[in-house]
């Protein structure tokens, strides 16, 4: 049995890997089914191939005892923690997650065996970051991609998704940034919130926060991103890597001038300014050469003049550096007794 021993004296500050989803493949005998009526039984040629349980609400939970492959598959989301959902899945809460499953009564999972013999094959590494304007942050990230062929971005339901454009599964990465408070209030989360003791408190916790969620969908991707040799549960949850920042750092390129841009329009104006050597006289000359007869030249030049004044004014804090500080912000760990993980 593995144990994780962290005391205040040993390490007052530590990076804490937090997950919003986890999928584990464990030995067949790591689960004991108490009530088969909850499970779907797959039979082929008069032989039982597998038992599977699926639920989507109030939290996602999937359990499969694959008799044919001699393995158990366990997958769940951070919502399994219910009122403590904001803590997410971590080395501090993982035992609590399995206790919740066992308390449902229809099966019993051997947590120690899962720790010793199980392998994690899929995770969503998640971090909630204090951000005043999630939309503005998403726009900043989208227009500062280092390479639009290597990294592709799109907006889906108001969420920014940045993907590494590769074929090899082990190298694939997908980062999603979204307003967590707004997402939690959507219709699909209504049942989850109704099961909480204090839904308003949880919603308020996410006020002013953006969720960064990095999908790692293979063991190879997990090993490389977390810098570990084996994807067992203790290794993954004890990793001191910060894969979200590593992805952002590789995908986003800071630009001293571009850092003042707050919109795609300003980013395009900056490109035009650079073509004109950052010279407003040349800008006006270019506009006069291409403007329609009767155009108000002063109005057409004004956005470029405003942007140039911003660039030449008081230097703004490097946005990427600010984001780095938020994503690398450590969490105080104070554990007085050993924890099993």
């Amino acid at each position: 049995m593995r144990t994780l021993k962290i005391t205040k004296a040993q390490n007052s500050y530590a990076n804490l890997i937090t997950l919003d989803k986890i999928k584990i493949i464990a030995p067949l005998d790591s689960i004991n089914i108490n009530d088969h009526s909850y499970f779907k039984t797959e039979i082929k040629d008069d032989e039982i191939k597998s038992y599977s349980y699926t639920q989507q609400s109030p939290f996602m939970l999937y359990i499969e005892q694959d008799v044919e492959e001699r393995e158990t598959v366990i997958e769940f989301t951070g919502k399994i923690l219910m009122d403590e959902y904001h803590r997410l899945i971590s080395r501090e809460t993982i035992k609590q997650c399995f206790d919740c499953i066992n308390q449902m009564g229809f099966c019993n999972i051997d947590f120690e065996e899962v720790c010793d013999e199980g392998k994690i094959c899929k995770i969503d590494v998640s971090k909630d970051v204090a951000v005043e304007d999630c939309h503005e942050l998403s726009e900043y990230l989208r227009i500062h991609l280092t390479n639009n062929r290597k990294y592709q971005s799109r907006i889906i339901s108001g969420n920014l998704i940045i993907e590494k454009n590769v074929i090899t599964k082990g190298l694939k990465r997908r980062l999603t940034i979204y307003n967590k408070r707004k997402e939690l209030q959507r219709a699909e989360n209504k049942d989850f919130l109704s099961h909480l003791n204090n839904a308003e408190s949880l919603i308020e916790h996410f006020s002013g926060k953006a969720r960064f969620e990095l999908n790692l969908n293979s063991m190879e991707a997990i090993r490389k991103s977390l810098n570990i040799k084996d994807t067992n549960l203790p290794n993954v949850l004890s990793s001191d890597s910060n894969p979200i920042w590593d992805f952002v750092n590789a995908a986003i390129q800071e630009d001293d001038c571009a850092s003042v841009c707050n919109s795609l329009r300003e980013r395009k104006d900056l490109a035009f300014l650079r073509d004109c050597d950052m010279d407003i006289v040349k800008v006006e000359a270019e506009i006069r050469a291409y403007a329609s007869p009767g155009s108000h030249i002063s109005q057409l030049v004004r956005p470029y003049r405003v942007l140039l004044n911003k660039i030449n004014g008081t230097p703004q804090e490097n946005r990427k550096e600010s984001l780095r500080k938020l994503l690398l912000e450590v969490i105080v760990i104070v554990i007085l007794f050993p924890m099993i993980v």
Side-chain angles (χ1 to χ4, degrees):
M1 180 181 71
R2 291 183 174 89
T3 59
L4 175 66
K5 300 179 181 179
I6 298 181
T7 64
K8 186 175 182 181
Q10 291 172 326
N11 192 0
S12 296
Y13 295 92
N15 180 53
L16 186 68
I17 288 288
T18 48
L19 315 174
D20 197 25
K21 182 181 288 186
I22 189 170
K23 182 177 181 180
I24 308 168
I25 299 177
L28 183 70
D29 61 359
S30 59
I31 182 174
N32 179 53
I33 298 177
N34 303 324
D35 190 343
H36 283 85
S37 67
Y38 283 82
F39 288 76
K40 177 182 177 182
T41 305
E42 182 184 355
I43 301 175
K44 186 177 180 180
D45 298 328
D46 296 325
E47 290 187 3
I48 295 176
K49 298 298 181 182
S50 67
Y51 301 99
S52 61
Y53 172 84
T54 306
Q55 73 171 43
Q56 294 298 328
S57 187
F59 54 86
M60 193 283 284
L61 173 63
Y62 177 77
I63 301 172
E64 180 182 2
Q65 189 177 47
D66 192 327
V67 179
E68 191 171 32
E69 296 294 331
R70 305 294 299 172
E71 65 184 26
T72 296
V73 179
I74 308 163
E75 184 175 8
F76 53 86
T77 61
K79 288 189 176 75
I80 196 171
L81 294 165
M82 303 302 284
D83 280 271
E84 294 188 75
Y85 171 48
H86 60 282
R87 299 179 66 195
L88 295 172
I89 303 164
S90 72
R91 62 190 180 194
E92 289 188 321
T93 63
I94 186 64
K95 181 65 164 56
Q96 183 179 340
C97 295
F98 280 90
D99 287 344
C100 177
I101 297 173
N102 290 340
Q103 288 167 9
M104 295 172 77
F106 54 76
C107 73
N108 187 71
I109 298 173
D110 188 332
F111 177 66
E112 293 182 10
E113 184 168 3
V114 171
C115 285
D116 287 337
E117 305 295 336
K119 303 292 182 184
I120 298 178
C121 61
K122 182 185 296 186
I123 56 175
D124 287 353
V125 183
S126 302
K127 187 175 181 67
D128 296 312
V129 174
V131 173
E132 292 184 6
D133 190 333
C134 184
H135 174 75
E136 189 272 335
L137 172 64
S138 297
E139 188 68 8
Y140 161 78
L141 294 171
R142 189 174 66 84
I143 65 177
H144 284 80
L145 291 179
T146 57
N147 187 321
N148 285 286
R149 288 190 293 257
K150 186 176 182 180
Y151 295 97
Q152 297 181 339
S153 67
R154 64 187 190 277
I155 303 292
I156 298 181
S157 300
N159 302 338
L160 173 65
I161 297 174
I162 302 174
E163 291 185 275
K164 191 173 183 180
N165 187 28
V166 292
I167 298 176
T168 306
K169 188 175 182 180
L171 298 177
K172 282 185 174 293
R173 307 283 189 275
R174 184 179 71 182
L175 178 67
T176 305
I177 300 101
Y178 58 96
N179 184 319
K180 185 58 187 176
R181 186 178 191 273
K182 185 176 181 181
E183 184 270 343
L184 199 58
Q185 293 176 300
R186 290 179 178 172
E188 59 265 29
N189 289 313
K190 184 176 181 180
D191 188 49
F192 166 69
L193 294 174
S194 70
H195 281 77
L196 302 183
N197 294 319
N198 194 339
E200 289 301 320
S201 177
L202 183 65
I203 292 173
E204 185 57 31
H205 172 84
F206 290 109
S207 181
K209 290 184 173 67
R211 166 68 59 87
F212 282 68
E213 196 166 274
L214 182 68
N215 307 119
L216 301 175
N217 295 327
S218 71
M219 290 186 184
E220 183 181 1
I222 294 171
R223 285 195 299 268
K224 289 182 176 179
S225 296
L226 300 187
N227 193 27
I228 56 178
K229 294 181 178 180
D230 189 282
T231 65
N232 61 51
L233 197 57
N235 278 356
V236 169
L237 297 182
S238 297
S239 171
D240 59 2
S241 297
N242 196 306
I244 293 178
W245 164 248
D246 291 342
F247 182 89
V248 170
N249 190 34
I252 303 301
Q253 177 176 312
E254 186 62 272
D255 183 319
D256 290 340
C257 291
S259 64
V260 305
C261 297
N262 295 319
S263 67
L264 181 58
R265 172 61 188 271
E266 285 194 342
R267 190 66 180 83
K268 290 179 178 179
D269 289 349
L270 175 59
F272 187 67
L273 274 172
R274 284 174 170 161
D275 284 346
C276 297
D277 301 320
M278 308 298 283
D279 187 333
I280 200 66
V281 175
K282 292 181 179 180
V283 168
E284 183 172 340
E286 283 287 303
I287 290 176
R288 288 186 182 279
Y290 291 98
S292 302
S295 298
H296 294 282
I297 302 300
S298 61
Q299 293 182 10
L300 295 176
V301 173
R302 186 177 183 279
Y304 301 99
R305 193 183 302 279
V306 170
L307 181 57
L308 190 59
N309 287 338
K310 286 175 64 177
I311 294 170
N312 293 330
T314 304
Q316 294 192 355
E317 182 181 7
N318 185 295
R319 289 291 303 276
K320 187 174 179 179
E321 175 61 19
S322 299
L323 189 55
R324 185 190 73 85
K325 292 176 181 177
L326 289 171
L327 290 173
L328 294 182
E329 183 181 20
V330 295
I331 300 174
V332 178
I333 309 294
V334 180
I335 306 174
L336 299 180
F337 302 99
M339 292 183 61
I340 298 175
V341 287

